Amino acid sequence: MNSSEDEAAIRRVPVAGRDYPRTYREFVEMFPNEEACATYLRRLRWPSGFVCSECGTAAAPWRQTRGRLVCPACRHQASVTVGTILDKTRTPLTTWFEAAWHVTTAKNGLSAKTVERSLGTSYRVAWTMLQRFRVAMVRAERERLSGEVEVDETYIGGVEKGGKRGRGTAKSLVVIAVEARQPKGFGRVRMRCIPDASGDRLIPFVCDAVVPGAVILTDGWGGYNDLTKHGYERRKTVLASSGDPAHVSMPGVHRVASLLKRWILGTHQGSVTPAHLQSYLEEFTFRFNRRTSRSRGLVFRRLLEQAVVTGPVTEADVTHGYEW
Ligand SMILES: [Zn+2]
């Protein structure tokens, strides 16, 4: 293939006017080999054509194998995966794509164990792919919540070490924000693992997760007292003295927290360590916020799109925690 044919292939919309598969059958048709996957990533990464990161030349690159591109002006070698979450991977792109497809189309997602079994990779590779996709999922959740937003904390966990209760059982505190829709229903969510429920933890979370000017619904906890100083309107939902359970006053957070707990127990068999909880919260958030998406294929494309614009993740990031 010469360069211009190559560029034409890149721009071509592959299946029936859509550039994403709707079914597994279409997925298999669209991505039969490494070449097809690399081409797709290239289009997601440079939607208006290749631009050399070294000299800034916007011209069709010379093509080599496995997504390697050479700038016609300065001969700089680029690659569709370098500088993305797929950087330095030895796992075939077809395997990454297969994992991305299943992660985005399976109703409740997949555990690393399931990926290991169904894709025939090692557990380590399966786990690493899922962790990296979770990093890309964070990127997809940039837009802050707005309108009326419920905020409350809940405990998640914990993992029991050596089968004993109590010691070694780590419960993690998670603060959850949920858009409340009128007259009923919920919008998007955001959540964060926090070491304690002090204002120093709660207020920065709200500032990162919710646009200023929004109405924040909270209980009477003092940790939220400074919200008004940060431009939010705080509305305390006071419990009736008749002893209504807490969830009646915060139905969105209660509902999301119970879905989250069920997901961790069901899909991940509860095997989420506190050190990795935040990345699972990101996956849950990504899934929850797209629960009404009209096409899972679009969600698949969205994940890959984020995968190629998100910087590389090192082994240390994955093992010791990523700077969220
Ligand atoms: Zn160049």
Side-chain angles (χ1 to χ4, degrees), residues 284-312:
F284 181 87
T285 299
F286 180 86
R287 311 184 70 82
F288 186 89
N289 289 351
R290 284 161 190 75
R291 66 197 182 282
T292 57
S293 175
R294 65 196 157 85
S295 164
R296 303 319 293 171
L298 269 174
V299 181
F300 162 79
R301 186 183 64 182
R302 181 78 177 131
L303 179 59
L304 288 179
E305 211 170 62
Q306 291 307 311
V308 291
V309 297
T310 303

PDB file of all heavy atoms in Angstrom, residues 284-312:
ATOM      1  N   PHE A 284     -16.604   1.419  37.500  1.00  0.00           N
ATOM      2  CA  PHE A 284     -18.034   1.447  37.825  1.00  0.00           C
ATOM      3  C   PHE A 284     -18.657   2.751  37.326  1.00  0.00           C
ATOM      4  O   PHE A 284     -19.738   2.759  36.733  1.00  0.00           O
ATOM      5  CB  PHE A 284     -18.242   1.301  39.336  1.00  0.00           C
ATOM      6  CG  PHE A 284     -19.692   1.293  39.728  1.00  0.00           C
ATOM      7  CD1 PHE A 284     -20.427   0.119  39.740  1.00  0.00           C
ATOM      8  CD2 PHE A 284     -20.338   2.481  40.054  1.00  0.00           C
ATOM      9  CE1 PHE A 284     -21.775   0.116  40.073  1.00  0.00           C
ATOM     10  CE2 PHE A 284     -21.690   2.496  40.385  1.00  0.00           C
ATOM     11  CZ  PHE A 284     -22.408   1.305  40.400  1.00  0.00           C
ATOM     12  N   THR A 285     -17.961   3.867  37.563  1.00  0.00           N
ATOM     13  CA  THR A 285     -18.448   5.188  37.143  1.00  0.00           C
ATOM     14  C   THR A 285     -18.623   5.257  35.630  1.00  0.00           C
ATOM     15  O   THR A 285     -19.651   5.694  35.127  1.00  0.00           O
ATOM     16  CB  THR A 285     -17.460   6.277  37.618  1.00  0.00           C
ATOM     17  OG1 THR A 285     -17.387   6.227  39.046  1.00  0.00           O
ATOM     18  CG2 THR A 285     -17.898   7.663  37.177  1.00  0.00           C
ATOM     19  N   PHE A 286     -17.608   4.794  34.904  1.00  0.00           N
ATOM     20  CA  PHE A 286     -17.651   4.784  33.439  1.00  0.00           C
ATOM     21  C   PHE A 286     -18.864   3.976  32.948  1.00  0.00           C
ATOM     22  O   PHE A 286     -19.605   4.406  32.072  1.00  0.00           O
ATOM     23  CB  PHE A 286     -16.351   4.168  32.906  1.00  0.00           C
ATOM     24  CG  PHE A 286     -16.260   4.093  31.405  1.00  0.00           C
ATOM     25  CD1 PHE A 286     -15.783   5.169  30.666  1.00  0.00           C
ATOM     26  CD2 PHE A 286     -16.624   2.937  30.724  1.00  0.00           C
ATOM     27  CE1 PHE A 286     -15.670   5.098  29.280  1.00  0.00           C
ATOM     28  CE2 PHE A 286     -16.522   2.850  29.333  1.00  0.00           C
ATOM     29  CZ  PHE A 286     -16.050   3.938  28.613  1.00  0.00           C
ATOM     30  N   ARG A 287     -19.060   2.805  33.541  1.00  0.00           N
ATOM     31  CA  ARG A 287     -20.171   1.940  33.135  1.00  0.00           C
ATOM     32  C   ARG A 287     -21.501   2.572  33.495  1.00  0.00           C
ATOM     33  O   ARG A 287     -22.425   2.614  32.704  1.00  0.00           O
ATOM     34  CB  ARG A 287     -20.074   0.578  33.812  1.00  0.00           C
ATOM     35  CG  ARG A 287     -18.728  -0.095  33.726  1.00  0.00           C
ATOM     36  CD  ARG A 287     -18.782  -1.470  34.354  1.00  0.00           C
ATOM     37  NE  ARG A 287     -19.583  -2.311  33.504  1.00  0.00           N
ATOM     38  CZ  ARG A 287     -19.096  -2.912  32.420  1.00  0.00           C
ATOM     39  NH1 ARG A 287     -17.832  -2.814  32.123  1.00  0.00           N
ATOM     40  NH2 ARG A 287     -19.887  -3.614  31.660  1.00  0.00           N
ATOM     41  N   PHE A 288     -21.599   3.049  34.751  1.00  0.00           N
ATOM     42  CA  PHE A 288     -22.868   3.602  35.231  1.00  0.00           C
ATOM     43  C   PHE A 288     -23.281   4.807  34.376  1.00  0.00           C
ATOM     44  O   PHE A 288     -24.446   4.927  33.987  1.00  0.00           O
ATOM     45  CB  PHE A 288     -22.736   4.005  36.701  1.00  0.00           C
ATOM     46  CG  PHE A 288     -24.029   4.450  37.310  1.00  0.00           C
ATOM     47  CD1 PHE A 288     -24.891   3.532  37.903  1.00  0.00           C
ATOM     48  CD2 PHE A 288     -24.414   5.796  37.280  1.00  0.00           C
ATOM     49  CE1 PHE A 288     -26.105   3.938  38.450  1.00  0.00           C
ATOM     50  CE2 PHE A 288     -25.623   6.206  37.818  1.00  0.00           C
ATOM     51  CZ  PHE A 288     -26.463   5.274  38.414  1.00  0.00           C
ATOM     52  N   ASN A 289     -22.319   5.677  34.079  1.00  0.00           N
ATOM     53  CA  ASN A 289     -22.644   6.898  33.342  1.00  0.00           C
ATOM     54  C   ASN A 289     -23.018   6.626  31.885  1.00  0.00           C
ATOM     55  O   ASN A 289     -23.520   7.503  31.202  1.00  0.00           O
ATOM     56  CB  ASN A 289     -21.493   7.902  33.429  1.00  0.00           C
ATOM     57  CG  ASN A 289     -21.372   8.484  34.835  1.00  0.00           C
ATOM     58  OD1 ASN A 289     -22.239   8.260  35.681  1.00  0.00           O
ATOM     59  ND2 ASN A 289     -20.298   9.205  35.086  1.00  0.00           N
ATOM     60  N   ARG A 290     -22.778   5.404  31.430  1.00  0.00           N
ATOM     61  CA  ARG A 290     -23.168   5.023  30.067  1.00  0.00           C
ATOM     62  C   ARG A 290     -24.239   3.946  30.049  1.00  0.00           C
ATOM     63  O   ARG A 290     -24.460   3.296  29.036  1.00  0.00           O
ATOM     64  CB  ARG A 290     -21.935   4.544  29.300  1.00  0.00           C
ATOM     65  CG  ARG A 290     -21.085   5.701  28.882  1.00  0.00           C
ATOM     66  CD  ARG A 290     -19.668   5.340  28.543  1.00  0.00           C
ATOM     67  NE  ARG A 290     -18.889   6.568  28.388  1.00  0.00           N
ATOM     68  CZ  ARG A 290     -18.494   7.306  29.419  1.00  0.00           C
ATOM     69  NH1 ARG A 290     -18.749   6.938  30.651  1.00  0.00           N
ATOM     70  NH2 ARG A 290     -17.845   8.442  29.213  1.00  0.00           N
ATOM     71  N   ARG A 291     -24.944   3.791  31.156  1.00  0.00           N
ATOM     72  CA  ARG A 291     -25.905   2.691  31.258  1.00  0.00           C
ATOM     73  C   ARG A 291     -27.054   2.819  30.276  1.00  0.00           C
ATOM     74  O   ARG A 291     -27.672   1.842  29.920  1.00  0.00           O
ATOM     75  CB  ARG A 291     -26.445   2.573  32.696  1.00  0.00           C
ATOM     76  CG  ARG A 291     -27.296   3.766  33.146  1.00  0.00           C
ATOM     77  CD  ARG A 291     -27.427   3.789  34.654  1.00  0.00           C
ATOM     78  NE  ARG A 291     -28.266   4.882  35.143  1.00  0.00           N
ATOM     79  CZ  ARG A 291     -27.892   6.148  35.248  1.00  0.00           C
ATOM     80  NH1 ARG A 291     -26.676   6.519  34.852  1.00  0.00           N
ATOM     81  NH2 ARG A 291     -28.720   7.063  35.723  1.00  0.00           N
ATOM     82  N   THR A 292     -27.320   4.052  29.818  1.00  0.00           N
ATOM     83  CA  THR A 292     -28.427   4.216  28.878  1.00  0.00           C
ATOM     84  C   THR A 292     -27.937   4.444  27.445  1.00  0.00           C
ATOM     85  O   THR A 292     -28.720   4.766  26.571  1.00  0.00           O
ATOM     86  CB  THR A 292     -29.318   5.409  29.286  1.00  0.00           C
ATOM     87  OG1 THR A 292     -28.495   6.579  29.346  1.00  0.00           O
ATOM     88  CG2 THR A 292     -29.966   5.182  30.637  1.00  0.00           C
ATOM     89  N   SER A 293     -26.629   4.272  27.220  1.00  0.00           N
ATOM     90  CA  SER A 293     -26.081   4.487  25.870  1.00  0.00           C
ATOM     91  C   SER A 293     -26.822   3.620  24.859  1.00  0.00           C
ATOM     92  O   SER A 293     -27.089   2.457  25.101  1.00  0.00           O
ATOM     93  CB  SER A 293     -24.597   4.132  25.863  1.00  0.00           C
ATOM     94  OG  SER A 293     -24.095   4.235  24.559  1.00  0.00           O
ATOM     95  N   ARG A 294     -27.116   4.219  23.676  1.00  0.00           N
ATOM     96  CA  ARG A 294     -27.938   3.477  22.719  1.00  0.00           C
ATOM     97  C   ARG A 294     -27.149   2.373  22.037  1.00  0.00           C
ATOM     98  O   ARG A 294     -27.715   1.475  21.457  1.00  0.00           O
ATOM     99  CB  ARG A 294     -28.558   4.431  21.698  1.00  0.00           C
ATOM    100  CG  ARG A 294     -27.569   5.125  20.816  1.00  0.00           C
ATOM    101  CD  ARG A 294     -28.192   6.325  20.116  1.00  0.00           C
ATOM    102  NE  ARG A 294     -27.177   7.272  19.733  1.00  0.00           N
ATOM    103  CZ  ARG A 294     -26.478   7.187  18.604  1.00  0.00           C
ATOM    104  NH1 ARG A 294     -26.701   6.209  17.763  1.00  0.00           N
ATOM    105  NH2 ARG A 294     -25.550   8.079  18.336  1.00  0.00           N
ATOM    106  N   SER A 295     -25.825   2.425  22.096  1.00  0.00           N
ATOM    107  CA  SER A 295     -25.043   1.363  21.475  1.00  0.00           C
ATOM    108  C   SER A 295     -23.815   1.030  22.309  1.00  0.00           C
ATOM    109  O   SER A 295     -23.033   1.908  22.648  1.00  0.00           O
ATOM    110  CB  SER A 295     -24.609   1.788  20.080  1.00  0.00           C
ATOM    111  OG  SER A 295     -23.564   0.948  19.631  1.00  0.00           O
ATOM    112  N   ARG A 296     -23.643  -0.270  22.602  1.00  0.00           N
ATOM    113  CA  ARG A 296     -22.441  -0.689  23.326  1.00  0.00           C
ATOM    114  C   ARG A 296     -21.210  -0.495  22.443  1.00  0.00           C
ATOM    115  O   ARG A 296     -20.111  -0.273  22.940  1.00  0.00           O
ATOM    116  CB  ARG A 296     -22.545  -2.157  23.767  1.00  0.00           C
ATOM    117  CG  ARG A 296     -23.746  -2.514  24.638  1.00  0.00           C
ATOM    118  CD  ARG A 296     -24.078  -1.485  25.682  1.00  0.00           C
ATOM    119  NE  ARG A 296     -23.065  -1.347  26.728  1.00  0.00           N
ATOM    120  CZ  ARG A 296     -23.067  -0.398  27.646  1.00  0.00           C
ATOM    121  NH1 ARG A 296     -24.017   0.505  27.659  1.00  0.00           N
ATOM    122  NH2 ARG A 296     -22.123  -0.341  28.549  1.00  0.00           N
ATOM    123  N   GLY A 297     -21.418  -0.580  21.124  1.00  0.00           N
ATOM    124  CA  GLY A 297     -20.308  -0.382  20.196  1.00  0.00           C
ATOM    125  C   GLY A 297     -19.717   1.020  20.300  1.00  0.00           C
ATOM    126  O   GLY A 297     -18.508   1.221  20.189  1.00  0.00           O
ATOM    127  N   LEU A 298     -20.601   1.995  20.556  1.00  0.00           N
ATOM    128  CA  LEU A 298     -20.136   3.369  20.754  1.00  0.00           C
ATOM    129  C   LEU A 298     -19.297   3.482  22.015  1.00  0.00           C
ATOM    130  O   LEU A 298     -18.314   4.222  22.065  1.00  0.00           O
ATOM    131  CB  LEU A 298     -21.344   4.309  20.899  1.00  0.00           C
ATOM    132  CG  LEU A 298     -21.900   4.953  19.638  1.00  0.00           C
ATOM    133  CD1 LEU A 298     -23.180   5.720  19.985  1.00  0.00           C
ATOM    134  CD2 LEU A 298     -20.864   5.894  19.034  1.00  0.00           C
ATOM    135  N   VAL A 299     -19.693   2.742  23.044  1.00  0.00           N
ATOM    136  CA  VAL A 299     -18.948   2.759  24.304  1.00  0.00           C
ATOM    137  C   VAL A 299     -17.566   2.124  24.083  1.00  0.00           C
ATOM    138  O   VAL A 299     -16.548   2.612  24.580  1.00  0.00           O
ATOM    139  CB  VAL A 299     -19.723   2.028  25.425  1.00  0.00           C
ATOM    140  CG1 VAL A 299     -18.943   2.067  26.735  1.00  0.00           C
ATOM    141  CG2 VAL A 299     -21.103   2.656  25.614  1.00  0.00           C
ATOM    142  N   PHE A 300     -17.554   1.053  23.289  1.00  0.00           N
ATOM    143  CA  PHE A 300     -16.299   0.389  22.923  1.00  0.00           C
ATOM    144  C   PHE A 300     -15.358   1.383  22.224  1.00  0.00           C
ATOM    145  O   PHE A 300     -14.184   1.511  22.575  1.00  0.00           O
ATOM    146  CB  PHE A 300     -16.629  -0.802  22.005  1.00  0.00           C
ATOM    147  CG  PHE A 300     -15.484  -1.333  21.194  1.00  0.00           C
ATOM    148  CD1 PHE A 300     -14.538  -2.172  21.764  1.00  0.00           C
ATOM    149  CD2 PHE A 300     -15.361  -1.010  19.846  1.00  0.00           C
ATOM    150  CE1 PHE A 300     -13.491  -2.676  21.011  1.00  0.00           C
ATOM    151  CE2 PHE A 300     -14.316  -1.509  19.084  1.00  0.00           C
ATOM    152  CZ  PHE A 300     -13.374  -2.345  19.668  1.00  0.00           C
ATOM    153  N   ARG A 301     -15.915   2.120  21.235  1.00  0.00           N
ATOM    154  CA  ARG A 301     -15.089   3.090  20.518  1.00  0.00           C
ATOM    155  C   ARG A 301     -14.590   4.189  21.459  1.00  0.00           C
ATOM    156  O   ARG A 301     -13.446   4.623  21.398  1.00  0.00           O
ATOM    157  CB  ARG A 301     -15.858   3.725  19.362  1.00  0.00           C
ATOM    158  CG  ARG A 301     -14.944   4.630  18.539  1.00  0.00           C
ATOM    159  CD  ARG A 301     -15.659   5.338  17.431  1.00  0.00           C
ATOM    160  NE  ARG A 301     -16.672   6.246  17.949  1.00  0.00           N
ATOM    161  CZ  ARG A 301     -17.470   6.973  17.189  1.00  0.00           C
ATOM    162  NH1 ARG A 301     -17.382   6.882  15.890  1.00  0.00           N
ATOM    163  NH2 ARG A 301     -18.366   7.768  17.726  1.00  0.00           N
ATOM    164  N   ARG A 302     -15.476   4.625  22.358  1.00  0.00           N
ATOM    165  CA  ARG A 302     -15.121   5.660  23.324  1.00  0.00           C
ATOM    166  C   ARG A 302     -13.940   5.226  24.200  1.00  0.00           C
ATOM    167  O   ARG A 302     -13.030   6.001  24.474  1.00  0.00           O
ATOM    168  CB  ARG A 302     -16.342   5.967  24.196  1.00  0.00           C
ATOM    169  CG  ARG A 302     -16.116   7.040  25.227  1.00  0.00           C
ATOM    170  CD  ARG A 302     -16.168   8.410  24.592  1.00  0.00           C
ATOM    171  NE  ARG A 302     -16.015   9.461  25.588  1.00  0.00           N
ATOM    172  CZ  ARG A 302     -15.168  10.472  25.453  1.00  0.00           C
ATOM    173  NH1 ARG A 302     -14.409  10.573  24.378  1.00  0.00           N
ATOM    174  NH2 ARG A 302     -15.082  11.388  26.376  1.00  0.00           N
ATOM    175  N   LEU A 303     -13.974   3.968  24.618  1.00  0.00           N
ATOM    176  CA  LEU A 303     -12.897   3.463  25.470  1.00  0.00           C
ATOM    177  C   LEU A 303     -11.568   3.456  24.708  1.00  0.00           C
ATOM    178  O   LEU A 303     -10.540   3.897  25.233  1.00  0.00           O
ATOM    179  CB  LEU A 303     -13.235   2.053  25.975  1.00  0.00           C
ATOM    180  CG  LEU A 303     -12.173   1.391  26.855  1.00  0.00           C
ATOM    181  CD1 LEU A 303     -11.881   2.236  28.094  1.00  0.00           C
ATOM    182  CD2 LEU A 303     -12.606  -0.007  27.266  1.00  0.00           C
ATOM    183  N   LEU A 304     -11.590   2.989  23.458  1.00  0.00           N
ATOM    184  CA  LEU A 304     -10.354   2.960  22.674  1.00  0.00           C
ATOM    185  C   LEU A 304      -9.869   4.372  22.358  1.00  0.00           C
ATOM    186  O   LEU A 304      -8.667   4.639  22.349  1.00  0.00           O
ATOM    187  CB  LEU A 304     -10.556   2.170  21.383  1.00  0.00           C
ATOM    188  CG  LEU A 304     -10.687   0.658  21.568  1.00  0.00           C
ATOM    189  CD1 LEU A 304     -10.906  -0.015  20.227  1.00  0.00           C
ATOM    190  CD2 LEU A 304      -9.457   0.074  22.246  1.00  0.00           C
ATOM    191  N   GLU A 305     -10.821   5.268  22.120  1.00  0.00           N
ATOM    192  CA  GLU A 305     -10.486   6.659  21.862  1.00  0.00           C
ATOM    193  C   GLU A 305      -9.711   7.233  23.054  1.00  0.00           C
ATOM    194  O   GLU A 305      -8.689   7.891  22.900  1.00  0.00           O
ATOM    195  CB  GLU A 305     -11.799   7.419  21.719  1.00  0.00           C
ATOM    196  CG  GLU A 305     -11.821   8.607  20.811  1.00  0.00           C
ATOM    197  CD  GLU A 305     -13.272   9.050  20.629  1.00  0.00           C
ATOM    198  OE1 GLU A 305     -13.939   9.434  21.621  1.00  0.00           O
ATOM    199  OE2 GLU A 305     -13.752   8.974  19.498  1.00  0.00           O
ATOM    200  N   GLN A 306     -10.209   6.968  24.253  1.00  0.00           N
ATOM    201  CA  GLN A 306      -9.524   7.434  25.455  1.00  0.00           C
ATOM    202  C   GLN A 306      -8.202   6.711  25.636  1.00  0.00           C
ATOM    203  O   GLN A 306      -7.239   7.275  26.138  1.00  0.00           O
ATOM    204  CB  GLN A 306     -10.405   7.232  26.695  1.00  0.00           C
ATOM    205  CG  GLN A 306     -11.615   8.129  26.725  1.00  0.00           C
ATOM    206  CD  GLN A 306     -11.251   9.594  26.553  1.00  0.00           C
ATOM    207  OE1 GLN A 306     -10.361  10.113  27.210  1.00  0.00           O
ATOM    208  NE2 GLN A 306     -11.929  10.271  25.647  1.00  0.00           N
ATOM    209  N   ALA A 307      -8.164   5.444  25.227  1.00  0.00           N
ATOM    210  CA  ALA A 307      -6.937   4.654  25.384  1.00  0.00           C
ATOM    211  C   ALA A 307      -5.774   5.258  24.600  1.00  0.00           C
ATOM    212  O   ALA A 307      -4.637   5.215  25.054  1.00  0.00           O
ATOM    213  CB  ALA A 307      -7.170   3.209  24.940  1.00  0.00           C
ATOM    214  N   VAL A 308      -6.051   5.842  23.431  1.00  0.00           N
ATOM    215  CA  VAL A 308      -4.950   6.400  22.637  1.00  0.00           C
ATOM    216  C   VAL A 308      -4.641   7.864  22.944  1.00  0.00           C
ATOM    217  O   VAL A 308      -3.650   8.390  22.461  1.00  0.00           O
ATOM    218  CB  VAL A 308      -5.139   6.210  21.107  1.00  0.00           C
ATOM    219  CG1 VAL A 308      -4.999   4.743  20.739  1.00  0.00           C
ATOM    220  CG2 VAL A 308      -6.462   6.781  20.631  1.00  0.00           C
ATOM    221  N   VAL A 309      -5.483   8.526  23.743  1.00  0.00           N
ATOM    222  CA  VAL A 309      -5.114   9.895  24.133  1.00  0.00           C
ATOM    223  C   VAL A 309      -4.630   9.954  25.575  1.00  0.00           C
ATOM    224  O   VAL A 309      -4.255  11.002  26.071  1.00  0.00           O
ATOM    225  CB  VAL A 309      -6.268  10.924  23.939  1.00  0.00           C
ATOM    226  CG1 VAL A 309      -6.645  11.028  22.467  1.00  0.00           C
ATOM    227  CG2 VAL A 309      -7.469  10.584  24.785  1.00  0.00           C
ATOM    228  N   THR A 310      -4.645   8.810  26.265  1.00  0.00           N
ATOM    229  CA  THR A 310      -4.190   8.770  27.647  1.00  0.00           C
ATOM    230  C   THR A 310      -2.731   8.331  27.672  1.00  0.00           C
ATOM    231  O   THR A 310      -2.374   7.350  27.031  1.00  0.00           O
ATOM    232  CB  THR A 310      -5.051   7.784  28.456  1.00  0.00           C
ATOM    233  OG1 THR A 310      -6.410   8.173  28.352  1.00  0.00           O
ATOM    234  CG2 THR A 310      -4.649   7.792  29.929  1.00  0.00           C
ATOM    235  N   GLY A 311      -1.919   9.064  28.403  1.00  0.00           N
ATOM    236  CA  GLY A 311      -0.487   8.796  28.458  1.00  0.00           C
ATOM    237  C   GLY A 311      -0.167   7.399  28.945  1.00  0.00           C
ATOM    238  O   GLY A 311      -1.013   6.716  29.491  1.00  0.00           O
ATOM    239  N   PRO A 312       1.090   6.961  28.731  1.00  0.00           N
ATOM    240  CA  PRO A 312       1.458   5.598  29.109  1.00  0.00           C
ATOM    241  C   PRO A 312       1.328   5.360  30.610  1.00  0.00           C
ATOM    242  O   PRO A 312       1.514   6.270  31.414  1.00  0.00           O
ATOM    243  CB  PRO A 312       2.913   5.479  28.666  1.00  0.00           C
ATOM    244  CG  PRO A 312       3.386   6.854  28.411  1.00  0.00           C
ATOM    245  CD  PRO A 312       2.188   7.699  28.128  1.00  0.00           C
TER     246      PRO A 312
END
